[in-house]
């Protein structure tokens, strides 16, 4: 029934005229594709030719069939990911469409064949991705997505490219591969410009749909990238600095966003600080070959270089790969698999360590001065920003010397180049180029000695630049170099390559023999410096080991004196001038850094001291605003029902204080001549009034006279204030005492606190006058006690203010 329906639909389509059919292009592409994806070969052969006819109609109308191609690809992606389609559809589609294009006479042949090839490859990648989309391990999914990304970029399908780019980004974040997630977002940012142009629809970010201009979206992506690189799990600070520097350049030179510069520069400084002071482990790299037909098609017969996890060793990596492919078998030999193994229905894994080759390209400005860089910087670039790797396969050529294996030990040295540099948007990249050479035994010996000397040199410089460097690695290396077993290794080199028989047999190796002797002698100053450092830093527990190392070093020197005396070197006086210069340079750099840190610490201490001094000065000023000259004066009312309240006058020039009943303070600027008054009957209320200058002067003079006459009156008033009583005059009128303070000297905090305790209330220390000399005052003559009636609701009236002056200065 479905086949009959398909036949009828096809007849109806072709019965329409070309002008009518164009009205359904490309709108009907999805409908006919759904019909062609039904798993029935005959139905597919009926439906697929309609696509070619749609291409012809579109080409006749627009001189291109781009609309049909775009709609077909978009619908295919959605249909394959939803579970429709299979390899059978791919085969029939390719066969039918190729036949139609080759028989066309309207000029569609070449362009049509290119379109068919593009759709067929896309189908292959989509079907591979769908096959692994439900796997628990994300490794195969990432590989398929990267294949789709590469294909999309190759054919210029940017909307398809962005679709799978964010799928890869999400997988990296889920796996906590934050370095790779940052590089993945970088692929999107490269498609954008630093302009205010609108973001094309095919470059819109699903993460930031609200950002419509390219500069806004690119800036947001860069900030996310920096955050990924700076994550604790990534520690890719050098990569973050590159992105920060580009942002800085845009802020400073293009966008002129100076407000953003302080933040980005501080972040860059923090990143540099982390590079110099933090500890990072160098990642390992592993060569992995997939052989056998049981692997997915995108892995069969291919070789990759994998970047290992932090501190991951070969055994750990092998275990991880076997967990990913539980039916796989490890090949223990590094020989190339046979044709039978490649074509077998098995999964064969060939895994080995590879060493990254540091990128010291002379054209790279950053790497030009790398040999003078600190060890923490060199350590990073030894295993990062690399795409070249080497590994060796040792073997013995016949005849093998049973007494000395060094004489017949050859190497097959393999060099690999990967498609991209590490780190990148993936933790593994395919090998795109491979070469191999044979290494002679004497050259292998030279490489071994060169590597040993370089390690010794690295240890010396590391301890020169960092006094706190761990001593354990230095102890192990010295013990290994000076151990009799290793000395036996040097002896084996001498027996294998320095003998007259070898020189006669291999006369072309005379230069290599001299090089090997110089490398052995070059160990003398290196070991000497290592022993000096070990002697200075070794704790008591390592003293016996150090003594043993010194004895072996003396034996080593004696052996060299006897064996290499003909070269004209005094072994015990040998020095490495380059090493000494580098050590002095690092020590000067370390001393300069220490001085800088000391200056910074001193600056911080000084700044804190200045802050504390400013606080103390401010506090002292608030305390010293009161007078050291105290006087008590009284005001008498005109009748017994009206009593004038005495006040404490605190002259202040420019500032007035007012305390509310809740205890809060207000401060405002007032004119010269204003005074602060402390009401005798209400100590918790402060207000500011204007007093006449002559009255102020008269009050001050009378206060001084009163104080000189009876210096102990103030203390007596305080005692009565504490007990709640006020002094009464001899006439029976109530007398309220006040305090007039005119400050010219600083009052101590301790005296202020003592006065506060005497008063027994919550007045702040700065408002409490200091006590007078500690001599107990004499008791005053007993007077008739008169108590004022309580007047809580009617506070004492303030003195009347002076009327304002008119423009002529008259009242």
């Amino acid at each position: 029934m479905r086949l009959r329906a398909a036949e009828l639909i096809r007849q109806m389509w072709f019965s329409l005229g070309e002008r009518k059919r164009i009205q359904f292009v490309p709108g009907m592409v999805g409908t006919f594709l759904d019909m062609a994806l039904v798993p029935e070969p005959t139905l597919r052969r009926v439906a697929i030719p309609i696509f070619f006819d749609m291409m012809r109609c579109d080409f006749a109308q627009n001189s291109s069939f781009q609309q049909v191609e775009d709609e077909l690809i978009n619908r295919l992606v959605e249909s394959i990911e939803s579970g429709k389609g299979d390899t059978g559809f791919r085969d029939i589609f390719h066969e039918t469409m190729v036949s139609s294009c080759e028989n066309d006479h309207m000029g569609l042949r070449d362009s049509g064949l290119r379109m068919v090839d593009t759709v067929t490859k896309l189908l292959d990648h989509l079907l591979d991705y769908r096959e692994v989309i439900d796997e628990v391990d994300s490794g195969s999914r990432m590989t398929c997505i990267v294949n789709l990304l590469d294909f999309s970029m190759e054919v210029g399908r940017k909307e398809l490219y962005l679709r799978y780019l964010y799928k890869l980004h999400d997988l990296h974040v889920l796996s906590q591969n934050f370095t790779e997630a940052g590089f993945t977002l970088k692929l999107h940012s490269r498609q954008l410009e630093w302009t205010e142009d609108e973001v094309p629809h095919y470059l819109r970010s699903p993460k930031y749909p609200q950002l419509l201009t390219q500069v806004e979206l690119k800036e947001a992506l860069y900030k996310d990238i920096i955050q990924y690189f700076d994550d604790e799990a990534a520690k890719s600070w050098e990569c973050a600095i590159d992105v920060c520097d580009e942002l800085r350049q845009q802020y400073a030179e293009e966008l002129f966003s100076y407000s953003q510069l302080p933040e980005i520069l501080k972040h860059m400084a923090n990143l540099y600080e982390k590079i110099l002071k933090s500890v990072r482990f160098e990642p390992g790299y592993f060569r992995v070959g997939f052989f056998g037909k049981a692997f997915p098609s995108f892995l069969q017969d291919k070789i990759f270089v994998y970047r290992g996890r932090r501190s991951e060793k070969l055994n750990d990596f092998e275990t991880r790969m076997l967990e990913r492919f539980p039916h796989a078998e490890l090949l223990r030999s590094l020989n190339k698999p046979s044709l039978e193994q490649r074509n077998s229905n098995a999964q064969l894994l060939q895994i080995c360590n590879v060493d990254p080759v540091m990128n010291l390209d002379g054209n790279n400005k950053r790497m030009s001065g790398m040999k003078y860089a600190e060890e923490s910087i060199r350590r990073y670039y030894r295993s990062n920003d690399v795409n070249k790797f080497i590994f060796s396969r040792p073997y013995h050529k016949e005849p093998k010397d049973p007494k000395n294996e060094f004489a017949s030990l050859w190497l097959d040295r393999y060099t690999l180049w990967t498609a991209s540099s590490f780190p990148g948007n993936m933790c593994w990249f395919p090998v795109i180029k491979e070469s191999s050479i044979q290494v002679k035994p004497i050259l292998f010996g030279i490489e071994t000695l060169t590597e040993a000397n370089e390690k010794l040199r690295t240890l010396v410089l590391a301890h020169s630049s960092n006094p706190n460097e761990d001593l354990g690695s230095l102890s192990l290396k010295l013990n290994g170099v000076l151990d009799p077993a290793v000395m036996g290794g040097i002896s084996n080199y001498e027996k294998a390559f320095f003998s007259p028989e070898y020189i006669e047999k291999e006369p072309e190796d005379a230069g290599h023999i001299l090089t090997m002797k110089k490398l052995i002698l070059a160990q003398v100053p290196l070991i000497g410096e290592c022993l000096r450092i070990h002697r200075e830093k070794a704790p008591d527990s390592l003293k016996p080991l150090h003594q043993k190392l010194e004895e072996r070093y003396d034996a080593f020197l004696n052996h060299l004196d006897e064996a290499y005396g003909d070269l004209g070197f005094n072994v015990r006086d040998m020095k490495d001038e380059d090493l000494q210069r580098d050590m002095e340079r690092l020590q000067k750099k370390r001393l300069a850094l220490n001085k800088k840190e000391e200056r910074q610490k001193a600056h911080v201490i000084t700044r804190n001291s200045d802050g504390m001094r400013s606080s103390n000065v401010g506090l002292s000023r608030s305390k010293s605003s009161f007078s050291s000259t105290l006087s008590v004066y009284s005001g008498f009312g005109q009748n017994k029902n009206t009593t004038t309240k005495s006040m404490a006058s605190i002259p202040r020039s420019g500032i007035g204080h007012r305390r509310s009943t809740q205890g809060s303070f207000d401060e405002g600027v007032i004119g010269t001549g204003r005074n602060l008054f402390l009401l005798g009957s209400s100590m918790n209320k402060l207000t500011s009034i204007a007093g006449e200058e002559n009255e102020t002067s008269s009050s001050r003079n009378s206060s001084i006279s009163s104080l000189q006459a009876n210096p102990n009156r103030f203390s007596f008033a305080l005692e009565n204030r504490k007990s709640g009583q006020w002094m009464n005059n001899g006439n029976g009128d109530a007398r309220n005492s006040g305090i007039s303070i005119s400050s010219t000297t600083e009052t101590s905090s301790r005296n202020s606190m003592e006065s506060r305790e005497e008063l027994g209330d919550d007045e702040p220390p700065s408002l409490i006058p200091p006590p007078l000399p500690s001599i107990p005052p004499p008791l005053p003559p007993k007077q008739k006690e008169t108590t004022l009636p309580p007047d809580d609701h009617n506070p004492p009236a303030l003195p009347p203010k002076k009327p304002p002056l008119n423009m002529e200065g008259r009242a």
Side-chain angles (χ1 to χ4, degrees):
M1 182 179 293
R2 287 185 298 184
L3 181 60
R4 179 59 181 162
E7 288 284 357
L8 292 175
I9 292 174
R10 178 179 176 178
Q11 291 177 9
M12 292 174 62
W13 173 262
F14 284 103
S15 65
L16 297 172
E18 186 172 320
R19 293 183 179 180
K20 292 184 178 180
R21 292 202 300 270
I22 193 62
Q23 298 178 11
F24 299 99
V25 177
M28 293 288 291
V29 170
T31 303
F32 288 122
L33 181 61
D34 290 338
M35 184 173 67
L37 289 174
V38 174
E40 176 60 45
T42 307
L43 189 150
R44 286 171 172 172
R45 294 183 186 278
V46 170
I48 289 175
I50 298 178
F51 296 124
F52 182 76
D53 187 69
M54 286 183 167
M55 292 168 55
R56 293 181 60 182
C57 294
D58 194 14
F59 185 81
Q61 180 76 15
N62 304 309
S63 301
S64 168
F65 51 83
Q66 190 66 45
Q67 291 182 354
V68 176
E69 183 178 354
D70 292 344
E71 185 69 13
L72 181 61
I73 287 177
N74 292 335
R75 294 294 184 134
L76 270 175
V77 171
E78 296 175 359
S79 299
I80 298 298
E81 287 190 359
S82 64
K84 300 178 182 179
D86 51 26
T87 56
F89 170 78
R90 187 260 328 262
D91 296 338
I92 296 176
F93 178 87
H94 182 268
E95 176 187 348
T96 305
M97 294 296 288
V98 167
S99 176
S100 300
C101 290
E102 288 179 346
N103 295 324
D104 180 74
H105 302 289
M106 294 180 58
L108 292 178
R109 184 180 184 280
D110 295 338
S111 57
L113 289 175
R114 284 195 297 269
M115 190 275 284
V116 172
D117 183 64
T118 297
V119 174
T120 303
K121 289 181 179 179
L122 175 61
L123 284 169
D124 289 335
H125 292 308
L126 290 174
L127 292 172
D128 287 341
Y129 176 57
R130 193 180 67 183
E131 185 178 349
V132 299
I133 197 170
D134 294 326
E135 288 187 3
V136 177
D137 186 86
S138 61
S140 297
R141 278 180 286 167
M142 290 182 182
T143 302
C144 291
I145 291 175
V146 169
N147 291 338
L148 281 165
L149 287 176
D150 294 339
F151 171 78
S152 303
M153 183 59 67
E154 179 184 346
V155 299
R157 293 285 169 180
K158 293 186 177 181
E159 69 283 355
L160 194 63
Y161 181 84
L162 206 65
R163 175 191 183 98
Y164 288 102
L165 185 145
Y166 277 93
K167 287 181 180 291
L168 179 62
H169 164 267
D170 295 341
L171 283 177
H172 279 315
V173 173
L174 189 63
S175 302
Q176 294 189 346
N177 300 331
F178 295 112
T179 299
E180 288 72 22
F183 277 103
T184 302
L185 282 187
K186 213 171 183 181
L187 295 176
H188 184 194
S189 66
R190 289 173 183 169
Q191 310 297 318
L192 302 169
E193 302 292 339
W194 292 104
T195 64
E196 294 289 341
D197 296 341
E198 185 178 356
V199 181
H201 69 278
Y202 53 82
L203 289 180
R204 295 281 175 87
S205 171
K207 192 174 182 181
Y208 298 106
Q210 74 280 7
L211 301 181
L212 302 180
T213 63
Q214 295 196 34
V215 64
E216 291 176 335
L217 180 56
K218 190 162 187 172
E219 182 182 11
L221 292 176
Y222 269 35
K223 291 182 178 180
D224 286 346
I225 293 168
I226 293 170
Q227 183 178 357
Y228 284 140
F229 287 156
D230 194 18
D231 191 89
E232 184 64 24
K235 295 185 177 180
S236 299
W237 300 311
E238 288 81 359
C239 302
I241 287 174
D242 291 340
V243 182
C244 285
D245 190 57
E246 186 174 349
L247 268 181
R248 177 205 59 78
Q249 184 177 0
Q250 290 297 322
Y251 290 153
E253 302 174 10
E254 301 294 336
L255 305 177
F256 296 98
S257 298
Y258 288 175
S259 60
Q260 303 282 354
L261 282 174
E263 181 182 356
I264 200 70
L265 291 173
K266 288 178 182 178
H267 199 166
M268 291 178 70
N270 185 38
L271 293 171
Y272 280 115
E273 192 81 9
K274 290 179 179 180
I275 290 173
L276 294 176
K277 295 186 178 181
S278 300
V279 177
R280 289 183 288 183
F281 296 96
E282 298 181 30
Y285 290 92
F286 309 95
R287 172 187 178 271
V288 182
F290 298 88
F291 305 104
K293 299 297 183 181
F295 281 116
S297 59
F298 55 85
L299 293 177
Q300 289 177 19
D301 233 17
K302 293 183 180 179
I303 298 174
F304 294 83
V305 171
Y306 278 71
R307 178 184 173 97
R309 295 171 181 171
R310 191 178 300 177
S311 304
E312 189 173 34
K313 304 301 181 183
L314 178 60
N315 291 337
D316 301 327
F317 179 76
E318 289 177 344
T319 302
R320 179 155 66 94
M321 294 301 294
L322 289 175
E323 290 176 354
R324 179 180 169 186
F325 302 100
H327 302 294
E329 176 185 352
L330 282 177
L331 294 177
R332 295 300 179 182
S333 173
L334 291 180
N335 296 328
K336 290 185 177 180
S338 64
L339 185 60
E340 182 180 355
Q341 289 175 319
R342 292 172 181 266
N343 294 328
S344 65
N345 293 321
Q347 291 182 341
L348 303 176
L349 288 173
Q350 191 179 61
I351 302 176
C352 68
N353 282 310
V354 292
D355 298 320
V357 179
M358 189 174 178
N359 181 11
L360 291 177
D361 184 5
N363 297 326
N364 191 333
K365 189 175 181 180
R366 169 181 285 177
M367 299 299 176
S368 59
M370 185 57 64
K371 68 176 184 177
Y372 303 111
E374 294 188 14
E375 180 58 23
S376 60
I377 301 174
R378 290 177 59 86
R379 188 183 299 120
Y380 173 82
Y381 286 104
R382 276 198 294 264
S383 56
N384 293 275
D385 194 18
V386 291
N387 72 327
K388 183 179 178 181
F389 304 86
I390 59 173
F391 75 99
S392 302
R393 185 181 68 88
Y395 65 97
H396 288 275
K397 271 191 176 182
E398 299 296 338
K400 180 180 179 180
D401 189 348
K403 296 181 180 179
N404 191 343
E405 65 177 9
F406 291 87
S408 59
L409 184 59
W410 287 68
L411 292 179
D412 279 340
R413 173 68 48 76
Y414 295 92
T415 305
L416 311 175
W417 287 266
T418 54
S420 298
S421 296
F422 291 94
N425 64 315
M426 288 288 285
C427 300
W428 58 88
F429 290 114
V431 174
I432 59 174
K433 182 182 176 182
E434 183 175 343
S435 66
S436 65
I437 59 172
Q438 284 188 331
V439 180
K440 298 177 63 173
I442 190 171
L443 293 178
F444 178 44
I446 289 174
E447 288 182 358
T448 304
L449 290 172
T450 302
E451 183 180 355
N453 291 359
E454 185 62 30
K455 288 182 178 179
L456 288 171
R457 180 185 180 86
T458 300
L459 286 171
V460 171
L461 296 180
H463 283 271
S464 298
S465 61
N466 182 14
N468 299 322
E469 187 76 18
D470 182 32
L471 196 62
S473 56
L474 181 64
S475 300
L476 291 174
K477 188 61 180 177
L478 279 174
N479 192 46
V481 172
L482 296 174
D483 188 86
V486 179
M487 286 293 292
I490 294 178
S491 177
N492 283 332
Y493 285 140
E494 295 170 346
K495 294 176 183 178
F497 308 117
F498 299 171
S499 64
E501 293 81 7
Y502 183 85
I503 297 175
E504 183 179 356
K505 180 181 177 182
E506 303 286 348
E508 69 276 4
D509 287 345
H512 297 324
I513 293 173
L514 181 60
T515 300
M516 182 172 282
K517 288 182 178 180
K518 289 181 178 180
L519 287 171
I520 294 174
L521 290 172
Q523 289 187 351
V524 173
L526 292 172
I527 298 175
E529 286 296 334
C530 289
L531 283 173
R532 179 189 62 80
I533 295 172
H534 197 271
R535 184 187 312 115
E536 294 174 355
K537 302 174 74 172
D540 294 339
S541 59
L542 291 180
K543 294 297 183 183
L545 172 62
H546 181 78
Q547 184 62 31
K548 187 178 179 180
L549 294 175
E550 293 277 8
E551 294 173 357
R552 289 177 179 173
Y553 182 58
D554 289 337
F556 177 60
L557 294 179
N558 294 332
H559 169 75
L560 295 183
D561 277 333
E562 297 176 3
Y564 304 101
D566 58 334
L567 295 178
F569 293 105
N570 186 350
V571 175
R572 298 182 182 273
D573 294 337
M574 290 185 64
K575 293 182 180 179
D576 190 333
E577 295 182 357
D578 291 339
L579 178 65
Q580 294 297 327
R581 282 196 298 268
D582 290 343
M583 290 174 59
E584 291 175 1
R585 180 179 57 82
L586 290 175
Q587 289 172 357
K588 289 179 180 179
K589 191 173 182 180
R590 177 167 55 84
L591 291 175
L593 183 61
N594 291 340
K595 289 181 180 179
K596 182 178 179 181
E597 292 179 352
E598 290 176 359
R599 288 196 300 269
Q600 290 176 346
K601 291 179 181 178
H603 176 69
V604 171
I605 294 174
T606 303
R607 185 171 58 187
N608 293 340
S609 300
D610 291 343
M612 294 177 63
R613 189 178 298 111
S614 299
S615 300
N616 292 336
V617 168
L619 182 61
S620 300
R621 286 177 179 175
S622 65
K623 294 178 180 178
S624 63
S625 61
F626 299 98
S627 175
S628 60
T629 305
L630 306 177
S631 64
V632 181
Y633 68 93
S634 303
F636 298 93
Q638 301 301 321
N639 53 63
K640 63 181 179 180
N641 294 328
T642 304
T643 305
T644 302
K645 309 299 181 181
S646 59
M647 304 178 184
S649 178
I650 309 171
R652 293 289 300 273
S653 177
I655 297 180
H657 294 270
R658 180 176 67 251
R659 177 174 177 179
S660 66
T661 55
Q662 289 81 7
S664 61
F665 282 87
D666 295 331
E667 183 174 271
V669 178
I670 61 175
T672 304
R674 287 180 176 256
N675 303 316
L676 291 177
F677 290 94
L678 185 65
L679 298 182
S681 62
S682 182
M683 292 288 289
N684 65 338
K685 293 184 180 180
L686 293 179
T687 186
S688 174
I689 65 171
E692 296 185 26
E693 185 62 30
N694 56 354
E695 294 178 357
T696 304
S697 176
S698 175
S699 175
R700 183 183 301 112
N701 293 335
S702 63
S703 299
I704 294 174
S705 300
S706 177
L707 181 63
Q708 291 174 349
N710 192 356
N712 295 321
R713 175 179 292 183
F714 175 68
S715 297
F716 178 74
L718 290 178
E719 289 294 326
N720 283 275
R721 171 68 179 87
K722 183 176 180 181
S723 61
Q725 300 293 329
W726 289 100
M727 294 166 55
N728 298 319
N729 58 17
N731 299 326
D733 294 332
R735 183 182 65 187
N736 293 333
S737 300
I739 306 171
S740 178
I741 307 171
S742 179
S743 175
T744 57
T745 61
E746 182 173 333
T747 306
S748 69
S749 174
R750 180 177 56 82
N751 291 338
S752 298
M753 291 300 296
E754 291 175 355
S755 299
R756 183 180 179 182
E757 291 175 359
E758 286 185 3
L759 288 174
D761 58 13
D762 295 330
E763 291 296 330
S766 60
L767 299 180
I768 304 301
L772 289 176
S774 58
I775 302 175
L779 293 175
K782 188 174 182 179
Q783 301 180 10
K784 182 179 179 180
E785 294 182 1
T786 303
T787 304
L788 288 174
D791 193 8
D792 295 339
H793 298 288
N794 297 312
L798 296 175
K801 290 186 178 181
K802 189 175 181 179
L805 298 176
N806 56 18
M807 297 299 294
E808 287 76 15
R810 296 188 298 272

